[in-house]
Amino acid sequence: MTAADCALDMRGISKTFPGVKALSNVNFSVKFGTVHAVVGENGAGKSTLMKVLNGSYAPTSGTIHVGGSEVRMRRPADAQALGIRMVHQEINLVPDLTVAENVYLGRMPARWSLLRKSEMIARAAAVLDELGAAINPRERLGNLSISQQQLVEIAKAYAAKPRIIVLDEPTSSLSEHETAALFRILRKMRDDGIAIVYISHRLKEVLEIADEVTVLRDGSMIETRPIHGITAAGMIRLMVGREVSNVFPKSPAEIGNSVLRVDGLSDGLRFRDISFDVKAGEILGLTGLVGAGRTEVARAIFGLSPLIEGSISVNGRKVSINSPSDAVKAGIAYVPEDRKGDGIVPGMSIRENISLPILRRLTRFGRIRRSADRSLAAGYVKQFSISPPDGERRINLLSGGNQQKAVIAKWLAANPRVLILDEPTRGVDVGAKAEIHHIIGQLVAGGMAVVMISSELPEILGVCDRVVVMRDGHASQPLVRRELSEERIMALATGEEIA
Amino acid sequence: MRFLALISQHRVAIILGLTLIISSLVVPGYLATSTLSLGLDRAATIGLIAIGLTVLLIAGQIDLSGGAVFALAGIVSVILQREIDVLPAAIVGILVGTLAGAINGLLVAGLKVNSLVLTLATMLIFRSLAHWITNSQPVTGTDIMLSLAFAQVFLEIFTVRSALFIVLIVLLHFWLTRTVPGRNVFAVGSNPVAAKDSGIASDRILFLGFVFAGTLAGLAGVLQSLVTNTGSPVFGSELTVAVIAAVVVGGTRLEGGKGSALGTLGGVLTIGSLTIAMEFQSIPAYVQQVVSGLILILLVVLDRAVTTKGRAPGTRPALVRDNPITQGGNV
């Protein structure tokens, strides 16, 4: 490899924070015109490495070459000037500006600082069109769905005509359809000679899109390999340093009576005539493309949005649910998709988050019983092996997987009979995912009924006893295990028969 | 639903219209140009400070020190009239406002201090300075004839002060909607992290926002002193509340990212016409404040009702926002 082929060459990068060595002597290089995947568990150092690459962090030691010459980046603007663009996993856009203004944020076309609005809109429309995204550039960004916002993020990076583009979990809020579209875009960008760094937990996607893969573990680079000649199992082995025999353990729970039954649910807008039931000890999967109405159904069952038709029964008794507190009383718990927005209270500790819904029960004469509160949290921290095992730690300092475990614990504390999990493993690493699946397995073994919404087919296939597929607000008949296959589910989700 | 949304969209105009209609029914001769001219002149004081505050609120910050800067700048310009000419004295007075804004801006943007707490502190300091240099007594200027010049009405309705306010509002509207720095102010207020990651110099924008707000408060104070030929350490003590009320009535969001110059114009005119109507009815000042407070509560409640009902079921604000006012400074 000559210096000219090498878009990026990071040598001996270390980054130390007070008390923590986040990166240690990492070598990482990417060629122009290739897709280079970076995989590793949460906490392996991927994010830190990318923050060094985009100028957010200065490395403690090491050198960075971009396009053959050594560079020093002090802030994101420096990285951008060098043609490095980052697409974050968390959407990082301005909700109150238009799509076009977001695409050109920080570099809007102007003369004498007067905005050239029509030029900007035309250019944004062209970029969105090129990416195959049907989004109106004049729309206020905050009005778009999360997956559309993700596409705007990508359009923003692409519009800057970067030399190096870094995508951090770009598919975590995209449906399979949109993911396929994204991959077309990435291949086109690659063929244009752009160096693409692709961070993902989804190893299947990595195998599909990447030319090379680098594995990080515990802040060190373990290996860089061409993608042919490595398998998903091989990558997992390198990531965790051990063989994971079964990522999605099937729950062997005994299936009992029907616990939650919904009949003919409609909200008059996003879904219509939804019926299914979940039995004790059963995991019911609810899948479909993003936007098919899965989350909306769950939110309606939990009383977060109104229904215009249909009935909900728990243990054979009809319940009337107009608010989340009705749902909790009926024994339903809901762990939302947007963990940061709806699931956790960021400034509070793990303990405070867990006991939040049941504080009243822990209170005597208006005073919270500290010892009960502490032992409740400590119990879940231990049972779910939440790391670090310290109930007083602020929850937003935990990794995504551990936050998710704490959110599940919070709802279990309320003793629900039905647990609805919305994308419970979105954006968490392989190890934490297995742990969350293990927890779900324990719960159903204890007689809980679980509804799990997921876009990830391997997860649905591996974990669920029955699966309902949604498309455009309608639900399929439940499929039982022996009817399940990726092809069957995709056929139902897209409405396209597969020959 | 669509009807509510429409009302919500044009609510400033509707509120202003209702205020004018009700006032004209209650107050005889309310719609005479002489009354309106007086009301507009009165509103201009609130308005000049509101212009600066609109920019700051959109950027997710707040400035409570406007009323104190207003008093201080006026006092300086009046006292200096004994030493130098009126015009240079006025300019120095305005520059006092600029300096006060620069201090606020440096502390908020440079030291990442919460602007609510910081400007509360500088408000106390600037107000105390005003008392200190005047020995808590009003000071008078040298040229009483100037007041008459400033009270002169032209084109039937405008005074120097109100014309200046209208011109600045139009410029602000243009700046906020049509210039890159103007749009960047929205970006900084709506999502400071995204703005920063996109290479927008948020600290500079915040600093300049405070400088701008301080300068306008100084300008308003100097004009007030020229009009009354007086500088007083108690001037503008209730102004801050009226200004915030006007900007919020105008639809600018306290948490940043949303607001407009025309909305502020509507809010300022509403507060101004309300005040003048009540003064004409000889309603005591304390009752006036009660009425203003009640109207503000009513508006906020209405606004909340309309925006939550107007949203489609199952949707929610897509982004998690850190609240820059309560969390302090910029991120």
Side-chain angles (χ1 to χ4, degrees), chain A residues 156-170:
Chain A
K156 179 184 170 192
Y158 182 57
K161 303 205 181 5
R163 291 197 288 171
I164 302 170
I165 185 167
V166 180
L167 299 112
D168 188 0
E169 297 281 354

Side-chain angles (χ1 to χ4, degrees), chain A residues 405-418:
Chain A
K405 288 192 250 174
V407 175
I408 295 174
K410 160 176 135 176
W411 284 110
L412 292 182
N415 276 327
R417 279 177 283 235
V418 188

Side-chain angles (χ1 to χ4, degrees), chain A residues 453-497:
Chain A
I453 299 176
S454 175
S455 301
E456 230 175 294
L457 293 184
E459 177 172 70
I460 287 282
L461 291 171
V463 177
C464 300
D465 295 296
R466 287 186 302 150
V467 176
V468 170
V469 184
M470 287 192 67
R471 179 167 72 91
D472 287 343
H474 294 270
S476 73
Q477 286 296 316
L479 305 170
V480 298
R481 270 198 86 77
R482 59 183 159 71
E483 299 174 308
L484 289 178
S485 69
E486 292 205 19
E487 291 75 19
R488 182 100 179 86
I489 292 177
M490 279 316 289
L492 286 167
T494 56
E496 288 164 22
E497 276 309 318

